Amino acid sequence: MPTASDILNIARGELGYTESPQGSNKTKYGRWFGLDGNPWCMMYVQWCCAQAGVALPMRTASCGALMRAAQAAGSWVTGDYRPGDVVIYDFPGGAATDHTGIVESVTASGIIAIEGNTGAGNDANGGQVQRRTRSNSLIVGAFRPDFEEEEEVVTYEKLANVPEKFRPIIDKLMTAGIIQGDGSDPTGNGDVINLTHEQVRTLVFIYRGGGFDRKLEAVGLETAV
């Protein structure tokens, strides 16, 4: 079963793609779908989902049809949007369902989405795959695919966040310059290191196996905690 990351990796790989010739609505997504030369925002989404193995409730080039199919399937949401959701927009002055995109991340007031057939001059028929920031007020709702749940990655931003049993070793490796932070706190332990739990465990394992002995001894540090 695919994850949200799978479809987002596909979608990001298409950023910057432009219809050719400009204004023609001719794209590889339209050729794949069988409706080349027509507005292609939904065909882009359908293509991304197909590449990632994400099941949609309907094969369609219509935003309204996908919305109704998702509602009938019980996979339609109208809030608490998440990465990987297929959002449907209602822009002022247009139809009830104007455009679609794939949620990449959530903001305080809306979302950031990757969309096909959009652009600064025309939100719903702009001719390019772009990353767009959208307000919640523009979102009608979203189809939520049945993704496999991804394992949460635990990250320690600073030394103080590292578990106490590992902290002395990580501190020593930072002092020796083996681990370097972002330089935001060069005289203390407040540097941002952003080490994952697995990275910390690997560093501790290497340390305990003597892998850093020469470097530690070179700066006058003992090789045992």
Side-chain angles (χ1 to χ4, degrees):
M1 186 180 294
T3 66
S5 293
D6 291 331
I7 190 171
L8 286 172
N9 287 337
I10 296 293
R12 291 184 188 114
E14 299 302 301
L15 284 167
Y17 180 93
T18 304
E19 63 188 36
S20 181
Q22 187 175 3
S24 68
N25 276 321
K26 290 185 177 295
T27 66
K28 66 180 181 182
Y29 317 115
R31 291 192 295 274
W32 167 83
F33 192 86
L35 285 175
D36 202 17
N38 289 279
W40 50 277
C41 64
M42 180 55 73
M43 289 187 275
Y44 164 74
V45 167
Q46 295 265 337
W47 182 90
C48 289
C49 289
Q51 305 310 304
V54 174
L56 289 165
M58 184 180 190
R59 191 178 193 272
T60 179
S62 165
C63 294
L66 183 78
M67 176 185 72
R68 291 186 289 274
Q71 290 170 334
S75 52
W76 182 254
V77 296
T78 55
D80 187 28
Y81 302 114
R82 303 174 188 172
D85 284 352
V86 175
V87 285
I88 305 294
Y89 305 109
D90 178 12
F91 296 138
T97 53
D98 299 300
H99 189 58
T100 186
I102 301 169
V103 176
E104 183 178 32
S105 59
V106 178
T107 68
S109 59
I111 62 166
I112 296 173
I114 302 175
E115 305 168 7
N117 201 15
T118 189
N122 192 325
D123 281 329
N125 196 18
Q128 192 174 56
V129 178
Q130 294 185 359
R131 179 179 282 115
R132 303 299 302 269
T133 300
R134 304 294 191 187
S135 167
N136 281 328
S137 63
L138 299 174
I139 304 174
V140 179
F143 161 68
R144 176 158 296 160
D146 186 16
F147 289 124
E148 181 178 343
E149 189 172 342
E150 297 182 73
E151 184 178 348
E152 184 180 359
V153 177
V154 177
T155 301
Y156 306 120
E157 182 185 20
K158 299 179 181 180
L159 177 63
N161 304 129
V162 174
E164 188 174 349
K165 63 181 179 179
F166 299 141
R167 198 179 305 152
I169 295 174
I170 300 302
D171 188 12
K172 185 175 290 187
L173 297 180
M174 289 181 71
T175 301
I178 296 168
I179 301 171
Q180 295 185 346
D182 66 347
S184 57
D185 185 17
T187 60
N189 292 321
D191 266 14
V192 174
I193 54 176
N194 280 337
L195 290 174
T196 68
H197 182 71
E198 289 306 312
Q199 287 173 325
V200 167
R201 289 185 62 206
T202 299
L203 288 165
V204 170
F205 177 79
I206 294 171
Y207 170 84
R208 288 174 175 166
F212 297 124
D213 284 1
R214 289 187 179 181
K215 291 184 179 180
L216 292 169
E217 289 169 354
V219 293
L221 291 173
E222 295 181 3
T223 56
V225 178

